[in-house]
Amino acid sequence: MAPVAVNDQPPSATGANAPARVTLHLGHLPSKTNIQANWPRTPTRVDPNNPPWPAYRGYHEYSFAHATMQSRLPTILGKAIEDATRTLNTQSSEEYVVDLAQCIDRMGDLMTDLSGNAKLRPIIDDDEADVALWNKEIAKYFQGKDFMNAPWLFAEAYKYRRLHEAFSVSKFWRDYDVFYRQKCDTFSRSSDAVFELSLRFAEPFKIASNLSAAEKLEAERLMFHELTQVCLWGNATDLSLLINMTEEQIKSLQSTGGESLAATEKNILGNHLDQFWDHVKTLREKTGGRIDFILDNAGFELYCDCVYADFLLQSGLANQIRFHGKRYPWFVSDVTKKDWDWLLNTMVYGQLFPKASDEELASLRRLGTRWKQYVKEGKWVYEQHPFWCTGYTYWDLHSEAPDLFLHLSRSDLVIFKGDLNHRKLTYDCAAPASTPFEQAIGPMASQPGAPVVVSLRTIKSDVVVGLGPDGDDIAQKLEDREPGWKISGKYAVVLFSEGRPGEKVRFA
């Protein structure tokens, strides 16, 4: 048979009589239609640029991703440049001044890239442990992508990694935190809520001895419900979202009174508190378990986390708490080791609340002293791992940080705090609100050895899952009644995954 020339390629000499071009006649085929992809994607087709459901991207004008990439991130970066410039103006050493000026120049380059929607370049090797993870992900999934067309979750994380790079390549300023003053100020502005909790919990938690066993358990359950909500709603003061919030508005968000909590529980749209309690109360049968907190915000939220952790230890529900923070400044207000140390030392030695009464200050010192003793005894452990500051979601924790997955698999409970951790658990994509939480978090529920997971999240971005079989209707009614409900911080979820604890962890 003579070879056929296709696309105007000349035939070979042996096929001199063949036609110069073959035209395909497709009239017998069905007409063209718009083919919609099937969602969710099968696990083998999921990757950082193709999440299980469609990703939120900066060019999606209907989404919070658009507002973030277009307005919030440039505003946050501008405030960071202002902070670094104020610090520059306090320096006297020429070496320090010149070095910091170069950091500010690099921040300016980032602002140019962000506002000009530049392509995502590799991270410079700054001796951080996460460089290889970042550059592998960029090379494999984001070649040619820019800030607006990469998935929002990755692009936002990339911006903060570039901000860290502006300082990490310097000689004197690699550990500088441009958000540090903001985090300290937010805690100092939270005095009403801080002292309401310290006055209640300065004394170790005790249940009246004259109660029956059933009454004691019920009293403990009620305390657990209340403190879980304190821990949940403490996330309201996320600095990356509340940059311009007044002190009165912050106080309103931080109200921790019992009546306020009773009123807000109806705003927990996906509420697995009972499942959460059923699991936690079994830990005491093991003489207390290990509970891990994947931390979110510093300042008041971290303080609430510690009040909660204190209760879990005192009640015998846990015998060790491990707190996981970030290695360097991240998403404005995320906890670093510096923030952790600052909180405990400020509570014991600080002069942050000049208008506080002697009783209030004594209660705060007593609480801080007890917490510092937990650290000395190893009952509280602060940890950090490079993976928490990468662009990967937690669907990739098993494959990209097997040591961390194995470590968490040995925990009796892993509590993920806040909106960013929830976005990373669920791949931050447009899954239906009725999607079961365990399906939405993929390998963090389905891999052998996956720990029991709870997500405590006030809703501040587009992804919403775990609202039950009627979840899609609930979400639509809220959308019709309150168009901004997904970013208001008014609503929350407490979602539980039983995981596959006790099974042997396996790696391919």
Side-chain angles (χ1 to χ4, degrees):
M1 177 186 291
V4 176
V6 180
N7 296 332
D8 295 324
Q9 297 298 318
S12 66
T14 58
N17 296 325
R21 182 182 179 93
V22 173
T23 301
L24 299 179
H25 297 282
L26 303 180
H28 61 289
L29 296 179
S31 60
K32 294 178 181 178
T33 58
N34 290 322
I35 304 298
Q36 296 295 321
N38 291 322
W39 307 103
R41 288 185 171 91
T42 56
T44 56
R45 296 180 62 83
V46 170
D47 65 53
N49 192 39
N50 296 285
W53 288 268
Y56 294 107
R57 302 177 191 263
Y59 65 81
H60 292 155
E61 294 187 8
Y62 61 84
S63 71
F64 192 48
H66 183 72
T68 296
M69 301 307 298
Q70 184 179 61
S71 303
R72 282 180 56 241
L73 290 191
T75 299
I76 290 168
L77 181 55
K79 289 182 178 293
I81 292 172
E82 290 174 8
D83 182 279
T85 303
R86 282 197 300 271
T87 300
L88 175 71
N89 294 334
T90 66
Q91 302 302 303
S92 58
S93 165
E94 182 177 10
E95 281 188 302
Y96 279 72
V97 168
V98 170
D99 197 23
L100 184 53
Q102 291 171 346
C103 295
I104 294 170
D105 287 344
R106 287 189 286 271
M107 294 169 78
D109 293 339
L110 175 57
M111 180 69 86
T112 299
D113 286 353
L114 185 60
S115 57
N117 193 29
K119 298 281 192 292
L120 307 181
R121 66 156 173 80
I123 300 298
I124 294 172
D125 188 354
D126 55 4
D127 292 327
E128 286 286 1
D130 61 358
V131 174
L133 277 172
W134 269 103
N135 289 341
K136 180 179 78 169
E137 190 173 12
I138 292 169
K140 193 170 182 180
Y141 303 110
F142 298 106
Q143 282 285 345
K145 292 292 183 183
D146 55 46
F147 280 94
M148 294 298 275
N149 66 24
W152 170 37
L153 180 62
F154 182 83
E156 191 174 14
Y158 175 82
K159 174 260 181 182
Y160 284 100
R161 184 58 179 88
R162 282 279 304 276
L163 179 58
H164 177 62
E165 180 195 275
F167 294 92
S168 61
V169 297
S170 72
K171 182 177 180 181
F172 300 109
W173 298 94
R174 64 176 293 119
D175 295 322
Y176 182 64
D177 184 351
V178 291
F179 307 121
Y180 187 61
R181 270 189 284 260
Q182 295 181 58
K183 288 184 273 191
C184 297
D185 288 348
T186 300
F187 186 67
S188 67
R189 293 162 64 191
S190 306
S191 57
D192 288 356
V194 166
F195 290 122
E196 183 176 343
L197 289 172
S198 69
L199 288 168
R200 290 179 65 188
F201 294 102
E203 292 298 320
F205 171 75
K206 290 181 181 178
I207 296 177
S209 58
N210 60 342
L211 298 178
S212 68
E215 289 171 331
K216 287 180 179 179
L217 187 62
E218 177 61 11
E220 194 172 59
R221 185 189 71 83
L222 292 172
M223 180 64 75
F224 173 82
H225 271 244
E226 181 170 0
L227 282 178
T228 301
Q229 281 205 71
V230 168
C231 193
L232 169 67
W233 296 110
N235 176 247
T237 46
D238 181 337
L239 288 177
S240 70
L241 295 164
L242 307 180
I243 292 294
N244 298 312
M245 182 156 278
T246 66
E247 187 166 350
E248 286 306 311
Q249 289 170 315
I250 287 176
K251 287 179 179 178
S252 175
L253 279 170
Q254 292 173 335
S255 175
T256 57
E259 290 182 8
S260 174
L261 290 175
T264 56
E265 185 164 0
K266 70 179 185 299
N267 289 341
I268 302 177
L269 302 179
N271 190 345
H272 295 171
L273 264 169
D274 289 337
Q275 290 171 262
F276 186 11
W277 167 246
D278 287 343
H279 174 73
V280 168
K281 71 182 181 183
T282 67
L283 300 185
R284 188 161 39 212
E285 298 168 8
K286 307 174 185 177
T287 65
R290 167 186 152 188
I291 296 178
D292 288 58
F293 280 77
I294 315 303
L295 297 171
D296 189 33
N297 295 319
F300 181 71
E301 183 180 350
L302 177 60
Y303 175 75
C304 292
D305 296 340
C306 289
V307 170
Y308 191 39
D310 192 0
F311 161 74
L312 292 171
L313 273 184
Q314 291 177 40
S315 58
L317 298 169
N319 56 27
Q320 185 185 63
I321 311 286
R322 291 179 175 266
F323 299 87
H324 300 259
K326 306 300 192 297
R327 288 166 56 91
Y328 46 76
W330 193 246
F331 280 66
V332 183
S333 47
D334 282 28
V335 178
T336 65
K337 181 62 162 60
K338 185 176 180 180
D339 300 321
W340 169 264
D341 291 338
W342 178 86
L343 177 67
L344 298 185
N345 289 322
T346 292
M347 290 173 66
V348 177
Y349 308 113
Q351 306 293 322
L352 204 59
F353 304 103
K355 296 181 180 179
S357 69
D358 290 344
E359 181 186 12
E360 288 173 331
L361 293 174
S363 69
L364 194 61
R365 282 194 295 270
R366 188 177 178 91
L367 206 55
T369 300
R370 185 162 73 241
W371 295 355
K372 287 171 73 69
Q373 186 62 31
Y374 289 155
V375 174
K376 289 179 182 177
E377 295 172 354
K379 293 179 179 178
W380 281 10
V381 180
Y382 180 89
E383 301 183 355
Q384 50 195 16
H385 190 283
F387 182 80
W388 301 125
C389 289
T390 67
Y392 284 106
T393 74
Y394 301 154
W395 278 54
D396 295 303
L397 196 153
H398 178 272
S399 58
E400 301 300 334
D403 59 323
L404 181 57
F405 185 90
L406 185 63
H407 181 47
L408 294 178
S409 75
R410 294 168 178 155
S411 177
D412 293 293
L413 172 67
V414 182
I415 300 173
F416 286 86
K417 288 297 310 296
D419 199 69
L420 176 61
N421 280 322
H422 189 87
R423 288 169 61 198
K424 287 201 162 193
L425 276 171
T426 60
Y427 232 124
D428 196 41
C429 49
S434 58
T435 306
F437 180 59
E438 291 195 330
Q439 181 184 359
I441 67 175
M444 285 302 293
S446 62
Q447 281 285 351
V452 177
V453 163
V454 169
S455 178
L456 300 181
R457 178 233 186 174
T458 52
I459 300 171
K460 300 176 189 169
S461 60
D462 293 295
V463 60
V464 177
V465 298
L467 303 196
D470 299 326
D472 297 343
D473 291 337
I474 292 169
Q476 188 58 56
K477 288 176 182 176
L478 281 168
E479 192 66 38
D480 295 340
R481 189 173 70 241
E482 301 176 51
W485 71 279
K486 288 183 178 179
I487 60 173
S488 66
K490 176 181 175 182
Y491 297 96
V493 292
V494 177
L495 298 176
F496 179 89
S497 164
E498 64 183 17
R500 297 174 64 178
E503 297 185 35
K504 185 177 181 179
V505 176
R506 300 182 185 278
F507 301 106

